């Protein structure tokens, strides 16, 4: 088991490079990865099961004790990201399927890898975990509703079908993970050690499958999609930090909110796009998987080298 922990740590540390490598390989040699598409929802469920095992009831006490950072992050998550996606799609005059896919990327909850980046950035990790958990639980209603309002002009959005799928691949696995953690702690402790590696492999499998299925369209639409995703991600990081600063959150909380909003659940975005929109609509989420982790790593490295003002942190948190 010690070996598994070591491999899991290595995979998590260099995740962005594995994402880029797997995407390039699937793009150049798509055939071996195509059969994986049939298992994408199951793979996403495995990822969310792992997330559920990291959630503790104490995490949600933050909402009662310090509601402002959590509620600010939640509101920003489902306003800044979808609205900036909508604006970018219009500004760049993206094709309908890419435009809908970009809005979908902006409408999904925060990604689990954001928690790792916040930890490395010396940000407020409990806040990050709480934001990820709550945005994920809100996603079955928020994601399809936002997508219906903003993207239905480009592609038909089936609210209830998408709602049902999110419950199946997100809420049920997360609930199962929480239940096992609560009632079978010994099994949970053993499983947790392997889950980072399993989650990394599942994410790589999902991305490889989607890239393989869309390698030709990715080649023709890639530049516009890349620019859109980069602008979207930069907007989330900057506006998230700005919103946190405007409400005078602590520096560590600003880092958490910025990264949490800027990094989306790209696996869910790719899965929903493939199942309910079109394979081409999954492209922004595929690109986002690599780019979000790339910029997240850069921000985490930069902030990890900047010392936090301990006095400022303690004064604001006690206020």
């Amino acid at each position: 088991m010690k070996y598994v922990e070591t491999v899991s740590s290595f995979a998590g540390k260099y995740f962005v490079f594995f994402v880029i490598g797997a995407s390039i390989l699937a793009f150049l040699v798509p055939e071996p990865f195509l059969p994986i598409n049939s298992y994408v929802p199951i793979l996403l469920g495995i990822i969310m099961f792992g997330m559920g095992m990291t959630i503790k009831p104490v995490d949600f006490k933050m909402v009662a004790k310090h509601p402002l950072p959590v509620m600010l992050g939640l509101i920003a998550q489902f306003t800044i990201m979808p609205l900036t996606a909508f604006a970018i799609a219009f500004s760049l005059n993206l094709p309908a399927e890419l435009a809908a896919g970009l809005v979908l990327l902006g409408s999904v909850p925060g990604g689990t890898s954001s928690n790792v980046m916040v930890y490395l950035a010396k940000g407020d990790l409990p806040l990050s975990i709480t934001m990820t958990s709550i945005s994920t639980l809100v996603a079955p209603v928020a994601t399809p509703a936002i997508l219906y309002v903003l993207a239905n002009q480009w592609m038909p959005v089936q609210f209830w079908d998408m709602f049902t799928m999110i419950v199946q691949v997100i809420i049920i696995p997360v609930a199962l993970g929480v239940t096992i953690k609560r009632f079978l702690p010994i099994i949970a402790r053993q499983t947790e050690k392997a889950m980072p590696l399993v989650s990394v492999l599942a994410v790589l499998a999902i991305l490889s499958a989607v890239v393989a299925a869309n390698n030709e369209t990715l080649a023709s639409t890639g530049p516009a999609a890349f620019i859109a995703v980069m602008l979207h991600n930069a907007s989330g990081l900057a506006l998230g930090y700005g919103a946190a600063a405007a409400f005078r959150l602590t520096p560590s909380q600003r880092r958490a909110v910025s990264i949490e909003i800027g990094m989306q659940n790209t696996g869910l975005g790719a899965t929903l796009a493939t199942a309910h929109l079109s394979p081409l609509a999954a492209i922004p989420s595929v690109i986002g998987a690599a780019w979000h982790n790339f910029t997240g790593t850069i921000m985490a490295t930069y902030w990890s080298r900047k010392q936090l003002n301990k006095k400022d942190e303690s004064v604001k948190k006690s206020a």
Side-chain angles (χ1 to χ4, degrees):
M1 188 58 72
K2 185 68 176 178
Y3 173 76
V4 173
E5 288 184 69
T6 302
V7 174
S8 295
S9 177
F10 177 82
K13 186 176 181 180
Y14 297 101
F15 179 64
V16 63
F17 299 105
F18 288 116
V19 167
I20 294 172
S23 299
I24 293 174
L25 182 61
F27 179 80
L28 297 175
V29 189
E31 288 78 14
F33 301 96
L34 292 175
I36 301 176
N37 278 285
S38 302
Y39 304 97
V40 165
I42 297 175
L43 292 169
L44 183 59
I46 292 173
I47 295 170
M48 301 318 299
F49 171 76
M51 174 187 166
M53 295 191 69
T54 67
I55 297 176
K56 304 172 185 176
V58 69
D59 294 333
F60 294 96
K61 291 183 179 179
M62 176 175 287
V63 181
K65 291 184 177 180
H66 305 286
L68 177 59
V70 178
M71 296 312 298
L72 172 64
L74 181 64
I75 293 171
Q77 178 76 62
F78 290 114
T79 54
I80 289 175
M81 295 308 279
L83 290 175
T84 54
F86 180 80
I88 291 169
F90 256 111
S91 299
L92 297 181
N93 194 27
L94 293 179
E97 292 171 303
L98 282 180
L102 185 66
V103 173
L104 173 58
L105 176 60
S107 303
V108 294
T112 54
S113 57
S114 63
N115 304 147
V116 177
M117 299 304 174
V118 170
Y119 170 75
L120 296 175
K122 298 180 181 178
D124 191 326
L125 184 58
L127 173 60
S128 176
I129 294 173
T130 304
M131 285 178 59
T132 300
S133 302
I134 292 181
S135 66
T136 298
L137 296 177
V138 171
V141 174
T143 297
I146 294 171
L147 191 66
Y148 181 84
V149 172
L150 297 181
N152 200 49
Q153 59 182 306
W154 287 305
M155 297 188 69
V157 177
Q158 303 299 325
F159 178 92
W160 287 111
D161 291 343
M162 194 170 289
F163 171 87
T164 302
M165 186 172 192
I166 296 176
V167 170
Q168 291 173 343
V169 302
I170 296 290
I171 302 303
I172 293 176
V174 167
L176 182 60
V178 171
T179 302
I180 290 178
K181 175 122 180 139
R182 174 66 178 83
F183 296 103
L184 299 172
I186 297 177
I187 294 177
R189 282 195 295 271
Q190 295 299 318
T191 306
E192 281 178 340
K193 297 177 181 178
M195 282 312 299
L197 177 59
V198 173
S199 296
V200 166
L201 293 176
V203 169
L204 294 177
I206 291 173
L207 298 178
S208 300
V210 177
V211 170
N214 296 278
N215 66 329
E216 293 183 2
T217 52
L218 183 59
S220 60
T221 62
F226 267 103
I227 293 172
V229 169
M230 288 188 287
L231 289 173
H232 184 237
N233 176 236
S235 299
L237 292 170
L239 294 175
Y241 190 90
F247 280 85
R248 305 183 67 183
L249 301 190
T250 68
S252 65
Q253 290 173 335
R254 296 175 194 178
R255 296 178 183 185
V257 171
S258 173
I259 293 175
E260 190 67 31
I261 292 175
M263 297 184 67
Q264 302 293 87
N265 190 330
T266 52
L268 177 60
T271 303
L272 292 176
T274 302
H276 297 287
L277 297 178
S278 78
L280 182 57
I283 295 300
S285 291
V286 172
I287 296 172
W291 186 253
H292 287 187
N293 283 281
F294 176 70
T295 57
T297 301
I298 291 175
M299 297 303 296
T301 302
Y302 170 73
W303 273 325
S304 68
R305 295 174 180 173
K306 294 192 67 175
Q307 293 297 321
L308 290 168
N309 188 323
K310 298 297 183 181
K311 181 179 179 181
D312 186 46
E313 289 284 318
S314 60
V315 169
K316 288 191 176 182
K317 285 190 176 181
S318 64

